[in-house]
Amino acid sequence: MASDAQTEFDPYTPKPNFYTKHPDIVWSVSVFLLTVVLTVGSFPPFPAAEFGYAFAAPAIFWAYLQPRFRLYAGTVLLAQAVSWTIVLGWLHHVTWVGLFLLGPFIGVWVGLWYLAVWWAIPRMRGKQTGLRIFAMFGLAAAWVLLEWTRTWFLTGFPWLPLAASQWQRSVVLQIAAYTGASGVSFILIAFNIGFAAYAHRLFREKQKGLRKRSPEFMAALLALMFPSFLLIGDMFHQERQPLTRVAVVQPDIPQTVKWDPSKSDFIFDTLGGLTARAAKSSPDFILWPEASTPFAVKGQPQVQAWTESLVRAVKTPLVLGSVSFENLDTPNERWYNGVFVVDPASGLQSASYAKQHLVPFGEYVPLRPLLGWIKKFVEVGGDATPGDSTAPLVVATRSGAVAIGALVCYEDIFSKISREEAASGADLLAVVTNDAWYGHGAAAYQHAAHSVLRAVETRRPVVRCGNNGWSGWIDEFGGIRKVMTQKISDERDTVYFRGTTTFNITRDARWVGRQSYYTEHGDWFIAACALLAIAAGVVLFVGKPAEPIATDPNASDESAIPPPF
């Protein structure tokens, strides 16, 4: 009896707690919460780009412990579905149904990568250092391939690749001039894997002294630092020279009145007044946002005449986003969402740019025979016709001709279009957009992050003109040179307002007439990642996973350690 009493009340016997009784629940909830917080916080408008180096680490760490597949898959897929629904929350201004369809869909799509992690990580444990590092980079390559599928699957929606999390950290972005933005995503996700491997070494492996170092983490750190240090010299030895002076008009026309014919006088008056004010700053040309006029500037003579009259009065060329109609009010009617140039002397130019990548259910209804009952959000005609030319628009200014590569709406999220425009001779990329659809939230900042990536990829300055923000210009190295803002308090500015600002856009003389490696060679890095991912998968497939770490608190001392995250 004495022995039993001693055992029952022995103070050295560890008392069971919730974690020791239900470790799977603790891990699942911990990984879910940390993944959601870190994923959402990685992207604009949150100023926490460093989260991009660790957002996937909790789930990767958990994979080392070989949790049950259903539990792991359910946790990470749900975490991603919730994360992306929050990230895309601005879509509710247009459609709640669309938000709750698209958010979880993108989340699960991204979450598929974590299933590869669950399979690969146990097969990496205990292997030789070189093989583990090779497999780590193979997993990073698989992430890149998954991001690439988002550029074309179901018409494509590559919104916020991992690289976009670093839009205000230009040093790490420079590799994009060679690999495209996917190279930045590769480095970031590799760092996540290396970070998780290091955490596992510290918290779960019985190593001492120098053996606590993680080769995976060191390899990931070198992958992060080497290209940055190699390319950082270009950023600090720029030879800036004037390119052009652009006055950006931000009319802030509410979406509720944009296509209301009874409000057209208000829209014309707003555009006319802001343009007259912009002209006083003596710009080389004036830039209006997407679909700025309430009717088509090409195809509706009264709108063309009004616009040409305004341009003659201000004596400054105008580059505007508007609509073009062909064969109006006939069975063969077609319309384009495009960019046009109006010259003070010769009027509306014949050369224009027609948007190539149309918004599904916004500008056209995909699979119309099946989905024709769904109405478009844009109240213009039937389905828009996509353009097929990336030839730049040439604007004759008082300081010389400027070749502009136009991007309409969300076309700057697609690398291919801006790359082709740079290759066609564009000196400057101009994004005209209308994010007023999405309220005063995260959408404009998330959208602007893609323009930063396009600037670095093509080594071309980018000027953005939004209906109500984000308007500004970005240099060839991803540096945000100036943003159009208005002070609303002593400590806060806003990009959402009506006004005009003039930008003195410069360029690096070293890149005049020269193309970036990515512009010339395209998505070669995607092909390299495909080979790397396949090779790593084959190597891991022939091996066996390591024995799982016990979760029974009596099995070993280290298994009783709670989740470190």
Side-chain angles (χ1 to χ4, degrees):
M1 294 295 293
S3 175
D4 292 343
Q6 183 179 7
T7 301
E8 183 177 355
F9 298 106
D10 187 352
Y12 297 102
T13 301
K15 296 180 179 180
N17 54 39
F18 187 83
Y19 171 67
T20 56
K21 290 182 178 179
H22 308 284
D24 286 347
I25 295 177
V26 174
W27 274 103
S28 178
V29 173
S30 299
V31 169
F32 173 83
L33 293 176
L34 283 171
T35 299
V36 171
V37 171
L38 294 174
T39 300
V40 174
S42 297
F43 295 110
F46 301 104
E50 287 70 28
F51 283 5
Y53 294 88
F55 76 102
I60 299 170
F61 185 99
W62 192 23
Y64 274 99
L65 309 185
Q66 294 180 256
R68 299 190 312 273
F69 176 76
R70 288 186 178 181
L71 177 65
Y72 185 86
T75 300
V76 296
L77 292 178
L78 180 61
Q80 290 302 310
V82 171
S83 297
W84 280 89
T85 301
I86 296 172
V87 167
L88 300 176
W90 42 264
L91 191 59
H92 83 270
H93 290 284
V94 178
T95 165
W96 281 102
V97 173
L99 170 62
F100 289 119
L101 288 176
L102 184 62
F105 178 77
I106 296 296
V108 171
W109 194 343
V110 173
L112 295 176
W113 179 80
Y114 291 89
L115 305 187
V117 168
W118 179 89
W119 177 84
I121 291 296
R123 288 170 167 78
M124 293 166 58
R125 284 184 51 234
K127 299 298 191 296
Q128 294 179 346
T129 297
L131 190 148
R132 297 200 312 271
I133 293 174
F134 181 70
M136 176 184 75
F137 287 129
L139 276 175
W143 176 278
V144 169
L145 290 179
L146 195 65
E147 284 194 342
W148 172 71
T149 63
R150 290 173 55 199
T151 66
W152 53 266
F153 185 68
L154 295 179
T155 78
F157 186 66
W159 190 266
L160 291 183
L162 183 53
S165 67
Q166 306 303 302
W167 75 300
Q168 294 179 314
R169 306 290 189 273
S170 57
V171 171
V172 75
L173 296 178
Q174 301 313 303
I175 191 66
Y178 296 87
T179 63
S182 57
V184 181
S185 295
F186 179 91
I187 291 172
L188 292 173
I189 200 66
F191 195 90
N192 275 264
I193 301 169
F195 180 38
Y198 197 9
H200 186 267
R201 178 67 63 95
L202 291 175
F203 290 101
R204 293 282 173 161
E205 298 179 20
K206 293 181 178 179
Q207 301 291 348
K208 297 180 180 179
L210 294 178
R211 291 184 64 84
K212 277 189 171 291
R213 294 178 302 176
S214 169
E216 295 95 324
F217 180 75
M218 297 303 295
L221 190 61
L222 285 174
L224 170 66
M225 297 178 64
F226 181 72
S228 297
F229 279 111
L230 190 65
L231 300 173
I232 199 170
D234 284 347
M235 297 181 63
F236 292 103
H237 296 91
Q238 299 180 35
E239 302 171 12
R240 309 304 300 182
Q241 65 179 29
L243 173 58
T244 190
R245 183 172 166 84
V246 183
V248 170
V249 168
Q250 193 168 280
D252 192 20
I253 304 298
Q255 202 58 42
T256 54
V257 306
K258 194 167 186 62
W259 303 111
D260 184 348
S262 67
K263 305 295 183 180
S264 60
D265 288 344
F266 161 73
I267 297 174
F268 283 129
D269 289 344
T270 300
L271 290 170
L274 290 173
T275 301
R277 189 198 310 175
K280 293 179 180 179
S281 65
S282 300
D284 290 330
F285 68 91
I286 298 170
L287 184 63
W288 287 0
E290 175 191 12
S292 50
T293 56
F295 306 107
V297 74
K298 189 173 184 179
Q300 294 183 299
Q302 67 276 23
V303 180
Q304 178 177 338
W306 179 88
T307 308
E308 290 176 336
S309 175
L310 175 64
V311 171
R312 283 194 300 270
V314 299
K315 301 178 181 179
T316 307
L318 173 67
V319 178
L320 73 154
S322 187
V323 173
S324 169
F325 273 106
E326 293 181 358
N327 306 315
L328 187 61
D329 297 328
T330 72
N332 297 321
E333 177 180 302
R334 294 193 301 177
W335 74 275
Y336 302 85
N337 187 3
V339 179
F340 307 85
V341 178
V342 182
D343 185 82
S346 54
L348 182 67
Q349 304 297 289
S350 58
S352 62
Y353 172 79
K355 183 180 179 184
Q356 300 179 67
H357 206 110
L358 305 178
V359 178
F361 304 107
E363 293 162 317
Y364 78 105
V365 176
L367 303 175
R368 181 165 281 280
L370 295 176
L371 304 177
W373 53 274
I374 300 179
K375 292 184 178 181
K376 300 188 294 92
F377 299 123
V378 177
E379 301 174 11
V380 178
D383 289 350
T385 301
D388 57 8
S389 174
T390 55
L393 301 177
V394 179
V395 182
T397 74
R398 58 175 62 93
S399 58
V402 180
I404 298 174
L407 298 164
V408 180
C409 187
Y410 75 154
E411 285 189 314
D412 57 335
I413 75 173
F414 298 94
S415 297
K416 182 176 182 291
I417 300 175
S418 58
R419 189 177 72 239
E420 290 178 350
E421 291 183 335
S424 298
D427 301 312
L428 172 72
L429 300 179
V431 180
V432 296
T433 187
N434 175 24
D435 289 330
W437 288 96
Y438 311 116
H440 292 181
Y445 294 94
Q446 293 178 4
H447 192 182
H450 299 84
S451 289
V452 173
L453 299 180
R454 305 294 85 84
V456 179
E457 287 176 341
T458 61
R459 291 299 195 216
R460 294 292 182 269
V462 176
V463 60
R464 302 184 88 257
C465 179
N467 175 27
N468 69 340
W470 191 101
S471 299
W473 83 274
I474 305 153
D475 68 26
E476 306 95 319
F477 301 92
I480 299 172
R481 293 286 180 148
K482 191 171 182 180
V483 183
M484 185 174 171
T485 61
Q486 183 180 74
K487 187 171 290 294
I488 58 177
S489 70
D490 291 340
E491 298 180 352
R492 187 183 173 197
D493 294 342
T494 182
V495 299
Y496 302 107
F497 67 100
R498 179 174 298 148
T500 179
T501 298
T502 299
F503 302 135
N504 290 311
I505 298 178
T506 61
R507 60 180 170 181
D508 189 343
R510 297 171 302 171
W511 287 99
V512 176
R514 177 184 167 199
Q515 301 294 346
S516 70
Y517 188 88
Y518 178 66
T519 298
E520 291 181 335
H521 300 279
D523 288 323
W524 66 271
F525 188 71
I526 302 295
C529 283
L531 295 176
L532 178 57
I534 292 171
V538 170
V539 170
L540 291 177
F541 181 77
V542 299
K544 295 181 178 179
E547 291 298 321
I549 293 178
T551 56
D552 182 356
N554 298 316
S556 67
D557 291 338
E558 64 169 345
S559 66
I561 302 174
F565 294 98

